[in-house]
Amino acid sequence: MNPTIKDVAKMANVSIATVSLVVHNHKRISQETKDKVLNAIEQLNYHPSHSARGLVRRNSGNVGFVLTDDHFLRTEPFYTHIFIGSEFEAHENELYVLLTTINSDFNSSNKLPRFILERNIDGLIIAGKVPFPFIEQISKYNFPIIFVDYSPCAKKYSGVLVDNIQGGELATEHLIKSGHERIAFIGGDIEHPSIKDRLNGYKNSFEKFGLKLNDSLIEIEEDYPGRTNGYNAAERLFTKNKDITAIFSCNDAMAVGAMQYMKDNGIKIPDDCSIIGFDDVVSDNAIEPALSTIRVPKMEMGTEAMKLMAHMIKNNLKDNRKVLLPVDLIIRESTKRI
Amino acid sequence: MNPTIKDVAKMANVSIATVSLVVHNHKRISQETKDKVLNAIEQLNYHPSHSARGLVRRNSGNVGFVLTDDHFLRTEPFYTHIFIGSEFEAHENELYVLLTTINSDFNSSNKLPRFILERNIDGLIIAGKVPFPFIEQISKYNFPIIFVDYSPCAKKYSGVLVDNIQGGELATEHLIKSGHERIAFIGGDIEHPSIKDRLNGYKNSFEKFGLKLNDSLIEIEEDYPGRTNGYNAAERLFTKNKDITAIFSCNDAMAVGAMQYMKDNGIKIPDDCSIIGFDDVVSDNAIEPALSTIRVPKMEMGTEAMKLMAHMIKNNLKDNRKVLLPVDLIIRESTKRI
DNA sequence: AATAATAAGTTAAACGTTTAACTAACCGCT
DNA sequence: AGCGGTTAGTTAAACGTTTAACTTATTATT
């Protein structure tokens, strides 16, 4: 059996309360006693029981982490990075993370994740877009909730977001400063706030540099911006518009699809046409040429979310604070000055 | 505050022991009382406290799930599927899953995951190849351990594996039966048991059909079989060997790389050369033509592992039982009869 | 010298379950 | 009437912590 606080107390010749106070390094304990106890703890390799603690503190020490299955299973390791960030920061705050997925078509008749029903979490982190019925259901519970990379009901819930507008501006500005004027935007699922903001950034830069917006340069697919959609968007774009010299894709996946189209149709990258993505998730360098992109600090989103969560839990508060993280321009080989 | 067993007892006019017995549906309770209690539980939306339970049962109700960071962050959603399978099955067994990653170059001076040090798990599932020093460290603890898709110290630990030999045979046989004779194998990290087995399956089929093995048809890269390596392997293969009509790639990622090489060099798939992968992780259909492959039941590996784990935990045993899961041949458009 | 303040610890109750041991009521049998 | 067996519950201890309230010893203040 694992050593308990009693074993430590016996070994150090003090009461169990003293051991507990040392563990929480309470001021009321002398250095001498503290050393004795710490020594015993070390010797026995004692760790407080999570259950016993949870029982008396009336908490679980766990934080739930929810995302939709298709986000989790998506090819690009975007949300997995966010999760790892959270998990890392949870460590620092003595919290455990319980990861689970929900159906991307979650509706009000679906069951909530078990850790919510059983109230086995002290707070919930939700990453990425989730169905509205889910948000509705969890709003009845009163643990703190933090959204990451998505921010519905912004007045009510806290969120960690990325500066998508700035990213859109950065990407577009990079192309404009490289001498491009016929710059297209390709995107999908335009209702998604992040995508919308990236497009807004694109528009801002056009305005800032006195370029005229042109609807035929903006190609938006209905659903999720993946490779196939990127391919299709590029196809339609180049069919009606021969003189494009640069493309800003709303994310890397679509950019890869568009690159495929260009390769298949003899359009040289970046000589005939530059392209820049968003997210920086294309790690596999088999994609040629290396894709310029906007780096999103994925791990950091996770750590920031968990920091916020730990703070809320510790101070027993719920607020709607937002954290906005800056992005970086990463210039690789798919964009070129003309 | 959440309702406790006392609230239920009061509402149903019984003792708390009775409530507990009902919850575990012990035989000693009459149908009448059972109904009363169940009713109260429903009304109050009562769920037993995880902590209180853990305290008295001396367990945590958690299962650890470990993989290396590069496995978790890999582009292909292989291990994520396994995790989801485990998580699902954990649900059925009233267990929670604690996911964490370790460094892929974990060495003996690294710290073990927190849930191990604090003994906050009842068992550990390890997915994919992990560094040996890690295995060495955890061998000191005495919770049950199950390896998934990797099986070191096979006499000691339990494992859930995929029939890689059968898969290799299935893939090769499919090509042979389609009239191919000059069939190449490309792979990487040949020390990995799974890869080695896939190659063995390839060899078996050659033997079975009386084809002569030819070393120049087997191209093996040093390190991890990813896209880049697939591209390189294909390049070397076709440089020394012009008349190949089919390739069996040790996994989908390498196959995609090889396909890229073929496209770049005017080799038509499947007209000039067929190709088949392994794993069935290439979900994005932007890859043209659709890749024939060997489907590995990823979710099922996860569920089987967790079933085994739940069984071991419940019966307080540790054994070295193995579960071997069959694979399926998936014929798409990248392989063709000649 | 008496009193107050501070320091350093201890005692004991509480958290919400589980379960072995006990009780009470009833039944059937001699 | 007395006994054993069965059924359907209840009692109470235990699990390993935390923490408010208490104790005791020492020091400082008047």
Side-chain angles (χ1 to χ4, degrees):
Chain A
M1 212 57 262
N2 296 337
T4 74
I5 201 172
K6 275 189 197 165
D7 301 319
V8 176
K10 199 172 297 175
M11 181 161 186
N13 251 313
V14 295
S15 74
I16 62 166
T18 304
V19 176
S20 181
L21 293 174
V22 169
V23 166
H24 296 87
N25 68 38
H26 197 281
K27 43 198 154 282
R28 219 189 310 161
I29 305 295
S30 70
Q31 191 57 48
E32 197 183 2
T33 316
K34 207 178 266 184
D35 288 346
K36 254 194 326 187
V37 172
L38 253 20
N39 226 298
I41 287 179
E42 173 93 344
Q43 297 250 332
L44 295 170
N45 188 22
Y46 164 76
H47 292 274
S49 145
H50 199 74
S51 301
R53 242 186 201 178
L55 184 55
V56 55
R57 289 190 183 164
R58 280 93 167 286
N59 68 13
S60 65
N62 301 144
V63 172
F65 192 106
V66 167
L67 28 61
T68 61
D69 42 12
D70 58 356
H71 275 161
F72 187 53
L73 294 175
R74 178 134 71 253
T75 314
E76 300 80 35
F78 188 88
Y79 292 105
T80 36
H81 270 107
I82 296 181
F83 171 79
I84 291 202
S86 293
E87 218 271 330
F88 176 83
E89 184 66 27
H91 217 283
E92 310 290 303
N93 291 279
E94 307 209 279
L95 290 166
Y96 283 105
V97 187
L98 260 22
L99 169 64
T100 201
T101 58
I102 57 171
N103 247 309
S104 48
D105 56 357
F106 184 97
N107 64 63
S108 49
S109 69
N110 284 116
K111 265 201 182 155
L112 286 172
R114 198 162 61 94
F115 54 57
I116 297 180
L117 295 175
E118 299 185 359
R119 292 182 180 76
N120 193 25
I121 54 170
D122 302 335
L124 184 63
I125 294 180
I126 299 174
K129 195 176 175 182
V130 291
F132 187 69
F134 178 72
I135 300 176
E136 212 172 7
Q137 291 248 359
I138 57 165
S139 69
K140 290 164 199 153
Y141 293 81
N142 74 332
F143 39 69
I145 296 176
I146 295 174
F147 284 90
V148 185
D149 197 39
Y150 186 58
S151 183
C153 320
K155 316 98 233 144
K156 189 167 172 196
Y157 299 116
S158 203
V160 174
L161 299 166
V162 134
D163 198 337
N164 288 299
I165 299 185
Q166 179 215 4
E169 290 171 358
L170 232 45
T172 314
E173 211 170 307
H174 164 58
L175 295 172
I176 295 175
K177 284 185 174 162
S178 300
H180 295 276
E181 298 201 336
R182 303 279 303 165
I183 303 168
F185 174 89
I186 59 177
D189 188 15
I190 197 65
E191 288 313 307
H192 195 296
S194 299
I195 313 274
K196 206 182 276 179
D197 279 354
R198 291 171 190 189
L199 176 55
N200 284 333
Y202 166 86
K203 290 180 177 169
N204 289 352
S205 287
F206 264 59
E207 188 149 352
K208 178 172 169 195
F209 286 87
L211 292 181
K212 247 190 83 192
L213 277 171
N214 181 341
D215 275 355
S216 76
L217 287 177
I218 299 180
E219 193 62 51
I220 293 178
E221 300 287 315
E222 273 283 315
D223 45 304
Y224 184 76
R227 291 191 184 191
T228 314
N229 271 331
Y231 194 97
N232 297 339
E235 182 160 33
R236 284 202 270 136
L237 202 59
F238 280 107
T239 307
K240 63 182 175 190
N241 236 312
K242 304 291 176 199
D243 56 352
I244 293 165
T245 69
I247 298 175
F248 167 33
S249 167
C250 79
N251 70 6
D252 286 355
M254 263 191 111
V256 170
M259 285 169 87
Q260 193 58 53
Y261 173 82
M262 294 195 259
K263 279 184 195 171
D264 288 358
N265 291 274
I267 301 170
K268 292 247 174 304
I269 313 167
D271 300 311
D272 299 337
C273 184
S274 288
I275 183 164
I276 184 167
F278 207 116
D279 285 349
D280 193 29
V281 289
V282 181
S283 57
D284 196 313
N285 44 10
I287 277 132
E288 275 274 319
L291 182 65
S292 293
T293 193
I294 301 294
R295 194 183 78 83
V296 171
K298 297 168 279 293
M299 295 255 195
E300 204 182 338
M301 292 172 81
T303 56
E304 284 302 316
M306 190 57 82
K307 263 182 205 162
L308 205 54
M309 179 57 81
H311 178 254
M312 285 182 168
I313 291 176
K314 226 162 265 168
N315 302 288
N316 191 29
L317 45 85
K318 291 171 65 181
D319 63 22
N320 66 350
R321 192 180 333 180
K322 305 286 180 298
V323 176
L324 192 66
L325 298 174
V327 296
D328 299 317
L329 171 65
I330 308 281
I331 302 174
R332 297 207 181 93
E333 294 154 19
S334 68
T335 50
K336 176 184 161 182
R337 145 155 259 108
I338 56 170
Chain B
M1 212 57 262
N2 296 337
T4 74
I5 201 172
K6 275 188 196 165
D7 301 319
V8 177
K10 200 171 296 174
M11 180 160 185
N13 251 312
V14 294
S15 73
I16 61 166
T18 303
V19 176
S20 181
L21 293 175
V22 169
V23 167
H24 297 87
N25 68 39
H26 197 283
K27 43 198 154 282
R28 218 190 311 162
I29 306 295
S30 70
Q31 191 58 49
E32 197 184 1
T33 315
K34 207 178 267 184
D35 289 346
K36 251 194 329 188
V37 172
L38 253 20
N39 226 298
I41 287 179
E42 173 93 344
Q43 297 250 333
L44 295 170
N45 189 22
Y46 164 76
H47 292 274
S49 145
H50 200 74
S51 300
R53 241 186 203 178
L55 185 55
V56 53
R57 288 190 183 163
R58 279 94 168 290
N59 68 14
S60 65
N62 301 144
V63 172
F65 191 106
V66 167
L67 28 62
T68 61
D69 42 11
D70 57 356
H71 275 160
F72 187 53
L73 294 174
R74 179 132 71 252
T75 314
E76 300 81 34
F78 189 88
Y79 292 105
T80 36
H81 270 107
I82 296 182
F83 171 80
I84 291 201
S86 292
E87 218 272 329
F88 176 83
E89 184 66 26
H91 217 283
E92 310 290 305
N93 291 279
E94 306 210 279
L95 290 166
Y96 283 105
V97 186
L98 261 22
L99 170 63
T100 201
T101 58
I102 56 171
N103 248 309
S104 47
D105 55 357
F106 184 99
N107 64 65
S108 49
S109 69
N110 284 118
K111 265 201 182 156
L112 286 173
R114 198 162 62 94
F115 54 57
I116 297 181
L117 296 174
E118 300 184 359
R119 293 182 179 76
N120 192 26
I121 53 170
D122 302 335
L124 183 63
I125 294 179
I126 299 173
K129 195 175 176 182
V130 292
F132 186 69
F134 178 72
I135 301 177
E136 212 172 7
Q137 291 248 358
I138 56 165
S139 69
K140 291 164 200 153
Y141 292 81
N142 73 332
F143 39 69
I145 296 176
I146 295 175
F147 284 90
V148 184
D149 197 40
Y150 186 58
S151 183
C153 320
K155 318 98 233 147
K156 190 168 172 197
Y157 299 116
S158 204
V160 174
L161 299 165
V162 134
D163 197 337
N164 288 298
I165 299 185
Q166 179 215 3
E169 291 171 357
L170 232 45
T172 314
E173 212 169 306
H174 164 58
L175 295 172
I176 295 174
K177 284 185 175 163
S178 300
H180 296 276
E181 298 200 336
R182 303 279 302 166
I183 303 168
F185 175 89
I186 59 177
D189 189 15
I190 197 66
E191 288 313 308
H192 196 297
S194 299
I195 313 275
K196 206 182 277 180
D197 279 353
R198 291 171 190 188
L199 176 55
N200 284 333
Y202 165 86
K203 291 179 177 170
N204 290 352
S205 287
F206 264 58
E207 188 149 352
K208 177 171 169 196
F209 286 87
L211 291 182
K212 248 191 84 194
L213 277 170
N214 181 341
D215 275 356
S216 77
L217 287 177
I218 299 180
E219 194 63 50
I220 292 178
E221 300 286 315
E222 273 284 314
D223 45 304
Y224 184 76
R227 289 191 185 191
T228 314
N229 271 332
Y231 194 96
N232 296 339
E235 182 161 31
R236 285 202 270 135
L237 202 59
F238 280 107
T239 306
K240 63 181 174 189
N241 237 311
K242 303 292 176 200
D243 56 352
I244 293 164
T245 69
I247 298 174
F248 167 33
S249 167
C250 79
N251 71 6
D252 286 354
M254 264 192 110
V256 170
M259 285 168 86
Q260 194 57 54
Y261 173 82
M262 293 195 260
K263 279 184 194 169
D264 289 358
N265 291 274
I267 302 171
K268 291 248 173 304
I269 313 168
D271 300 312
D272 299 338
C273 185
S274 287
I275 182 164
I276 184 167
F278 207 116
D279 284 349
D280 193 29
V281 289
V282 181
S283 56
D284 197 312
N285 44 11
I287 277 132
E288 277 274 319
L291 182 64
S292 292
T293 193
I294 300 295
R295 194 183 79 84
V296 171
K298 297 168 279 293
M299 295 255 195
E300 205 182 338
M301 292 173 81
T303 55
E304 285 302 318
M306 191 57 81
K307 263 183 204 160
L308 205 54
M309 180 57 81
H311 178 254
M312 285 182 168
I313 291 175
K314 226 163 265 169
N315 302 288
N316 192 29
L317 45 84
K318 291 170 66 181
D319 63 21
N320 65 351
R321 191 181 333 183
K322 305 285 180 299
V323 176
L324 192 66
L325 298 173
V327 295
D328 299 316
L329 172 65
I330 308 280
I331 303 174
R332 297 205 180 94
E333 294 154 19
S334 68
T335 50
K336 176 185 161 182
R337 145 156 259 108
I338 57 169

